[in-house]
Amino acid sequence: MKIEQLYTGCLAQGAYYIESEGEVAIIDPLRETQQYIDKANSNNAKIKYILETHFHADFVSGHVDLAQQTGATIVFGPGATTEYDILSAKDGEELKLGNITIKVLHTPGHTLESATYLLIDENEKNHAIFSGDTLFLGDVGRPDLAIKSDLTKEDLAEMLFDSLRTKIMPLADDVIVYPAHGAGSACGKNLSKETIGVLGEQKKTNYALRADMTKAEFVKEVLDGIAPPPQYFAKNAMMNKMGYDAFETVLKTGDVALNPDQFEAVANQESALVLDVRSQADFIVGHIPNSIFIGLNGQFAPWVGALIKDLKQPIVLVVPQGKSTEAVTRLSRVGYDNTLGYLEGGLEAWKKAGKDISILDSISAEEFAKRAKANKLHILDVRKDGEYQSTHLEEATHFSLDVINENMDKINKDDTYYVHCAGGYRSVIAESILKARGFNNLIDIAGGFGAIKNTDLKTTDFVCPSTL
């Protein structure tokens, strides 16, 4: 028996490869499926099952493509309905894989069809659970993402309570827990940085598994502090339910080199968004006017999903050398399949063609502190609400980057704003969006609040986030 976690950091997502006696199951695959086929082929094995723990909301799974390529059976939990062929398994149904067994445990709560897959080894011992978004390390899945359901989040939270206590907590303490996500995912609020654990440890440390917890207490605690889901979540869940274009088609259409004239023509003719995915340092010193920055070196896909409202938005890319395929791939992971090409030769080719560029003003935290002590400045803090509430500059205007499109009326285009986040990535995203909307008087504070704290500017007293 072989179990391998295939973890993708930018999505904080774990897919799984399970092999026994030449038969393979893939759990919650990513959009780009060739990696799973190659791994099975290298082991002279055949993919038999594609197991989906639920209809994912935070990424587009590769189950449809993988089934078409391999003939494997797609398995969902009870009650799942799709526009493509699946096995909607019964609670307790057992699937044979070589000389091991995978038992389907229906664990509704995160979504109605959520399933946990219990792996029973060749000695008939419960070895591990692949818990999807039902149980994380340190947390449980948010119960507010069911699509087209008349159930409330409180109803789903009650279901989740029952699922955890009737299907998962009775299992032995030494059962390994393989969750779908780790820290950084918006599918929970208190996820551990660890991505593999054991059930006994979770029973001791996970707030949601307290033995003396009442259902009412569980509902209150699991719902407390949940931020609204990113706007793309429901759209990705629907793609996973209804199906989507083949990834190879998306890649063929999107990973196309365009010279500067072609790039400009496509952007104009298709009303395409110019998306610059280089580093923030590169964007600051030069970029195409009205382009939007979301760098590959940060949480790229979640920020694209939060900020670009239309999954069908035509996109043309400015990428670092050799990164076009990666950029198109990572866009497709969250359902943005309408990339139309990238700028061949990058910004240097654009400048050599005699086309205009823009820059962002950027100053050090020390220079910002000098100016702030000499004059009253307009400051814009785009960190998350919890970060801001913990401690901030007293005079700052605040709204989180993920709601920037709804809060531009809080600032004045005629004023100059000094913009910061925690470290510099999000502030440049915010500034690029604001510049594209006509806010031209923006100055980036390099190093963000992390650098500002090292100056002598006054900040509010620190409040521990756990008490907010």
Side-chain angles (χ1 to χ4, degrees):
M1 178 179 68
K2 177 180 181 179
I3 300 172
E4 185 173 351
Q5 182 185 68
L6 305 170
Y7 200 78
T8 303
C10 69
L11 292 174
Q13 187 267 344
Y16 296 91
Y17 177 97
I18 307 168
E19 181 186 324
S20 176
E21 300 293 309
E23 294 184 336
V24 173
I26 304 294
I27 299 182
D28 295 339
L30 283 184
R31 186 79 180 269
E32 60 275 23
T33 56
Q34 192 60 43
Q35 58 181 317
Y36 311 114
I37 296 170
D38 291 344
K39 188 174 289 292
N41 288 343
S42 69
N43 294 327
N44 294 315
K46 180 177 175 57
I47 298 175
K48 183 178 182 180
Y49 293 116
I50 304 157
L51 307 177
E52 291 286 352
T53 55
H54 62 292
F55 290 121
H56 302 283
D58 59 312
F59 71 101
V60 179
S61 178
H63 56 303
V64 176
D65 275 357
L66 190 56
Q68 290 175 345
Q69 292 163 332
T70 64
T73 299
I74 301 172
V75 181
F76 275 94
T81 58
T82 64
E83 295 295 310
Y84 46 87
D85 291 337
I86 64 167
L87 169 62
S88 181
K90 299 180 179 64
D91 184 31
E93 186 167 349
E94 295 186 349
L95 308 172
K96 292 298 182 182
L97 190 77
N99 61 5
I100 65 174
T101 300
I102 297 175
K103 186 174 182 178
V104 180
L105 306 179
H106 188 207
T107 49
H110 176 64
T111 62
L112 290 173
E113 78 292 338
S114 285
T116 294
Y117 296 104
L118 171 64
L119 190 153
I120 303 169
D121 68 18
E122 53 272 12
N123 298 315
E124 299 187 358
K125 182 180 186 300
N126 292 340
H127 178 78
I129 53 172
F130 300 85
S131 54
D133 287 21
T134 296
L135 175 65
F136 300 127
L137 303 185
D139 203 357
V140 292
R142 56 190 301 163
D144 62 340
L145 299 181
I147 54 176
K148 292 193 172 180
S149 169
D150 57 0
L151 295 170
T152 67
K153 58 187 178 182
E154 288 78 12
D155 294 331
L156 286 161
E158 291 183 355
M159 288 184 185
L160 184 58
F161 176 87
D162 292 336
S163 293
L164 291 165
R165 278 151 180 79
T166 62
K167 299 293 180 64
I168 291 180
M169 290 178 68
L171 297 172
D173 288 354
D174 63 351
V175 168
I176 300 169
V177 179
Y178 292 108
H181 295 291
S185 170
C187 293
K189 59 185 179 180
N190 192 41
L191 283 69
S192 170
K193 292 180 181 179
E194 301 299 321
T195 62
I196 300 172
V198 293
L199 187 56
E201 183 65 20
Q202 290 306 298
K203 291 176 185 178
K204 293 177 183 176
T205 62
N206 191 320
Y207 76 95
L209 302 188
R210 292 201 313 270
D212 61 349
M213 193 179 216
T214 67
K215 183 178 288 190
E217 288 172 335
F218 176 88
V219 171
K220 181 178 184 299
E221 291 186 39
V222 81
L223 293 178
D224 184 46
I226 292 182
Q231 62 87 29
Y232 72 103
F233 269 28
K235 300 169 186 176
N236 277 197
M238 193 56 65
M239 287 181 70
N240 284 319
K241 184 179 176 69
M242 305 299 289
Y244 44 75
D245 291 337
F247 172 70
E248 289 303 319
T249 300
V250 174
L251 197 59
K252 184 177 179 180
T253 303
D255 195 9
V256 176
L258 303 170
N259 67 39
D261 288 337
Q262 292 170 326
F263 185 91
E264 189 172 40
V266 170
N268 291 333
Q269 292 166 10
E270 302 296 332
S271 297
L273 172 70
V274 179
L275 182 61
D276 193 324
V277 303
R278 299 173 300 149
S279 71
Q280 62 259 37
D282 287 338
F283 187 87
I284 285 170
V285 299
H287 56 269
I288 294 174
N290 296 320
S291 59
I292 301 301
F293 165 77
I294 306 178
L296 285 173
N297 61 342
Q299 284 193 307
F300 174 70
W303 280 119
V304 167
L307 296 169
I308 302 176
K309 302 297 185 183
D310 183 5
L311 292 188
K312 299 184 183 300
Q313 168 68 50
I315 295 171
V316 288
L317 295 166
V318 181
V319 299
Q321 179 68 30
K323 292 290 188 177
S324 61
T325 302
E326 178 184 344
V328 175
T329 298
R330 289 172 67 178
L331 284 167
S332 75
R333 287 177 183 167
V334 284
Y336 293 84
D337 288 354
N338 201 14
T339 303
L340 302 178
Y342 67 93
L343 180 59
E344 187 175 22
L347 201 68
E348 286 305 309
W350 183 263
K351 289 190 287 188
K352 287 178 181 177
K355 299 184 184 297
D356 292 340
I357 66 166
S358 291
I359 63 170
L360 277 177
D361 288 333
S362 180
I363 62 172
S364 68
E366 292 76 16
E367 176 61 26
F368 166 67
K370 290 179 184 177
R371 297 185 190 185
K373 285 182 282 189
N375 297 285
K376 182 176 175 60
L377 304 179
H378 296 284
I379 303 163
L380 178 59
D381 182 337
V382 296
R383 294 176 299 156
K384 293 180 180 179
D385 291 350
E387 293 173 284
Y388 173 80
Q389 291 161 14
S390 291
T391 180
H392 57 267
L393 293 167
E394 292 184 332
E395 302 300 321
T397 298
H398 168 259
F399 51 75
S400 177
L401 172 60
D402 58 340
V403 292
I404 189 172
N405 292 306
E406 293 77 36
N407 284 277
M408 291 186 191
D409 59 348
K410 289 186 176 180
I411 58 177
N412 190 327
K413 289 183 178 180
D414 295 329
D415 293 329
T416 296
Y417 283 87
Y418 291 78
V419 187
H420 77 84
C421 59
Y425 177 80
R426 287 173 288 173
S427 63
V428 177
I429 298 176
E431 289 151 8
S432 72
I433 294 171
L434 291 170
K435 278 194 71 174
R437 300 288 182 85
F439 291 83
N440 294 311
N441 304 315
L442 305 170
I443 299 174
D444 185 69
I445 306 172
F449 197 73
I452 292 170
K453 287 190 298 184
N454 294 325
T455 71
D456 57 358
L457 290 178
K458 183 172 178 54
T459 61
T460 60
D461 292 338
F462 180 79
V463 177
C464 180
S466 64
T467 66
L468 295 177

